Amino acid sequence: MLTAWDKRYLWHPFTQMRDWIEEEPVIIERGEGSYLIDIEGHRYIDGTASMWTNVHGHNRAELNAALKTQVDKIAHATLLGYSNIPAIYLAKKLVELTPAGLNKVFYSDNGSTAVEVALKMAYQYWQHKGQPQRKLFIHFDKAYHGDTVGAMSVGGIDSFHTTFDSLLFKGIRVSAPEIYRSLDAPETVKARCLKDIKRALVQHTQQIAGIILEPLIQGAGGMLVAPKGLLKDIATLAKRSETLLIVDEVMTGFGRTGKMWACEHENVTPDLLCTAKGLAGGYLPLAATLSTDKIYNAFLGEYRDRKTFFHGHTFTGNPLACAVALENIAIFERENLLTQLQTTISHFKTRLQEFYALPHVGDVRVCGLAAGVELVKNPENQTPYPLAEKVGTRVCKEALIRGAMLRPLVNTVVVMPPLQISISELDTLLDILYGSIAMVTG
Ligand SMILES: *Cc1c(COP(=O)(O)O)cnc(C)c1O
């Protein structure tokens, strides 16, 4: 009955529904730590941390308790004109937790809106600074910042975005720092990328509102790990040309890269930082855009000056989500998770190197506890598998039968388990993936 009703009533995201209705959907009923359990009692390791959100595992007693405690007080109260307790505590905590200089928190509900907020803040900021001609954003090829119109406008994944091309605002798209297919050394890729940005900054001098990027790793674009130092160098360029740096930490935030924020790896404080996915531990939709005082102060003035940031979402600062987010952070601190995580990450990296023994594994890209295993028809010359072969999808289907839930980005299989996954669970997950790749590409 559930299967029939799913097919009858649901329209799934990023899904060709004609294919969907031909297949038997997995319907999840429960979660336990790193495992998802479906209505038939099958257990699957959550290899994508439930769409890159889960941090401490499913059904965590402490997170459940935080949610229950808060729901007995109030489920929602607005920040539009009023305030609420968890939203205040969390804002303070986020300011303490993020790179020094980010001092104000603006809430929304998801990664896309956190990005929209950052773009609109940057855009309006320049009007207040008497430079309204700064309207353009520099963004990256293969970037993913979400699916709302503004976020798509600074995105660079043609298969997602081309359909909506005429709807999107124009910016300046620069080449992705992609190493594998460029056949160049990381230093060369980095230099080329910086050259592109410099050229854009010179050609459009005084017109650039900001540079937006995913730090260290471009996620949905294929788990593309950037050359070391690129983030730092871009931050320097942004500063030198007096434009703004917007860092989208929606995927990388909350420990995913091995530090709380990807920015910390290169000692960068952006002007605006977006966070969402892991913010409430993977429990509830919550997002935040953090800004520096420089930006915040530019919006201060008499009401009639129209310097107000005219933006807000109905569920902004939702108390339930904020209460869970506070407990999410508290667990990091109590369990010293970031230290413990280093062992998991180094095991993950070592084990993933073994995948090169498989003849059709072309590239294994790892950043913290996030990886992409790219499958290619011919690794000698990086020939991709034709889309029609659906090799990524087939590998994930095989993995599902073997007890792991994974999702591909075309021919790249993403591995991104909850941060709290144990070494033995991680081994099981990687064994399943290895066996599935061997079977499908063998
Ligand atoms: C997932 C993601 C988004 C969009 O987040 P949603 O919550 O799906 O809107 C934006 N940026 C990055 C880097 C992401 O990974």
Side-chain angles (χ1 to χ4, degrees):
M1 185 182 65
L2 280 171
T3 298
W5 283 0
D6 174 290
K7 292 180 182 180
R8 188 146 158 206
Y9 297 115
L10 273 178
W11 188 345
H12 288 264
F14 278 105
T15 303
Q16 176 43 257
M17 293 306 289
R18 206 169 73 179
D19 293 342
W20 177 269
I21 54 175
E22 295 299 319
E23 311 222 346
E24 281 306 286
V26 174
I27 304 172
I28 298 300
E29 185 174 37
R30 290 182 300 121
E32 263 173 34
S34 303
Y35 282 86
L36 298 161
I37 301 154
D38 73 9
I39 50 172
E40 284 160 6
H42 299 125
R43 296 167 64 87
Y44 311 93
I45 295 196
D46 189 354
T48 60
S50 291
M51 215 48 240
W52 314 356
T53 60
N54 196 280
V55 180
H56 307 297
H58 295 280
N59 213 344
R60 265 296 282 242
E62 304 95 306
L63 295 172
N64 294 3
L67 185 56
K68 287 172 189 166
T69 305
Q70 181 57 41
V71 80
D72 282 335
K73 294 178 182 159
I74 189 165
H76 186 60
T78 187
L79 291 193
L80 291 150
Y82 305 91
S83 200
N84 75 62
I85 296 170
I88 296 169
Y89 278 122
L90 180 61
K92 176 172 185 289
K93 201 76 212 179
L94 285 173
V95 167
E96 288 163 4
L97 210 60
T98 46
L102 294 166
N103 290 337
K104 301 289 172 190
V105 175
F106 192 97
Y107 289 116
S108 60
D109 335 293
N110 60 69
S112 309
T113 54
V115 168
E116 297 284 342
V117 166
L119 296 172
K120 285 176 71 176
M121 272 181 182
Y123 189 89
Q124 191 176 338
Y125 168 80
W126 289 114
Q127 299 184 16
H128 299 330
K129 298 305 274 185
Q131 297 191 57
Q133 79 287 355
R134 284 195 183 262
K135 290 178 179 172
L136 297 171
F137 290 96
I138 294 178
H139 56 95
F140 283 85
D141 196 25
K142 309 233 162 109
Y144 181 75
H145 297 291
D147 291 333
T148 52
V149 174
M152 279 197 295
S153 299
V154 291
I157 303 180
D158 290 334
S159 56
F160 297 179
H161 301 142
T162 309
T163 315
F164 303 104
D165 219 23
S166 65
L167 198 56
L168 309 182
F169 59 72
K170 296 290 165 233
I172 298 153
R173 186 152 138 182
V174 295
S175 60
E178 195 176 7
I179 297 166
Y180 176 53
R181 285 226 154 60
S182 78
L183 304 177
D184 289 321
E187 277 304 313
T188 314
V189 173
K190 182 170 110 175
R192 190 165 48 228
C193 184
L194 288 167
K195 202 169 131 203
D196 271 12
I197 296 174
K198 269 187 215 158
R199 189 187 306 124
L201 287 166
V202 170
Q203 260 172 14
H204 302 273
T205 179
Q206 307 298 312
Q207 292 178 348
I208 308 296
I211 304 172
I212 181 164
L213 55 82
E214 293 159 88
L216 303 195
I217 176 168
Q218 292 187 294
M223 308 301 284
L224 308 174
V225 178
K228 259 204 179 62
L230 179 66
L231 172 63
K232 183 78 188 173
D233 289 352
I234 293 174
T236 309
L237 278 183
K239 198 151 271 156
R240 208 179 292 153
S241 62
E242 288 172 23
T243 193
L244 302 177
L245 179 65
I246 304 171
V247 165
D248 176 354
E249 292 247 19
V250 169
M251 179 191 97
T252 51
F254 287 91
R256 184 52 63 186
T257 66
K259 290 184 187 285
M260 201 52 143
W261 308 101
C263 281
E264 291 174 41
H265 289 272
E266 300 191 0
N267 284 317
V268 164
T269 295
D271 297 283
L272 293 158
L273 181 149
C274 308
T275 174
K277 288 190 170 98
L279 172 55
Y283 264 53
L284 287 161
L286 179 68
T289 306
L290 281 95
S291 97
T292 57
D293 290 333
K294 177 177 93 173
I295 293 179
Y296 174 83
N297 289 336
F299 286 74
L300 303 178
E302 294 295 333
Y303 185 75
R304 59 170 186 271
D305 296 343
R306 291 181 190 272
K307 286 191 169 181
T308 305
F309 185 48
F310 290 107
H311 186 107
H313 296 280
T314 308
F315 279 98
T316 171
N318 174 260
L320 292 178
C322 290
V324 175
L326 277 164
E327 185 57 27
N328 172 37
I329 297 166
I331 298 175
F332 268 96
E333 292 172 350
R334 270 204 310 273
E335 303 199 341
N336 209 355
L337 179 58
L338 289 173
T339 307
Q340 185 198 310
L341 188 59
Q342 307 313 315
T343 315
T344 317
I345 289 173
S346 81
H347 186 76
F348 188 55
K349 285 189 170 153
T350 310
R351 290 266 354 239
L352 278 164
Q353 290 312 305
E354 296 167 10
F355 281 65
Y356 282 116
L358 291 163
H360 290 281
V361 168
D363 197 21
V364 179
R365 299 182 282 272
V366 198
C367 180
L369 205 59
V373 179
E374 181 166 346
L375 307 172
V376 290
K377 187 119 196 159
N378 181 359
E380 309 272 281
N381 51 13
Q382 291 98 14
T383 315
Y385 274 105
L387 284 184
E389 287 192 34
K390 292 188 179 171
V391 67
T393 309
R394 276 159 52 217
V395 166
C396 293
K397 269 191 188 150
E398 180 60 30
L400 191 71
I401 295 166
R402 296 171 184 232
M405 212 173 263
L406 291 161
R407 188 174 162 87
L409 293 161
V410 197
N411 295 334
T412 299
V413 181
V414 176
V415 192
M416 211 187 292
L419 299 189
Q420 287 274 10
I421 193 167
S422 71
I423 299 288
S424 75
E425 288 167 343
L426 191 57
D427 279 334
T428 308
L429 174 63
L430 293 174
D431 290 344
I432 288 173
L433 178 58
Y434 193 97
S436 304
I437 295 174
M439 165 106 171
V440 170
T441 65

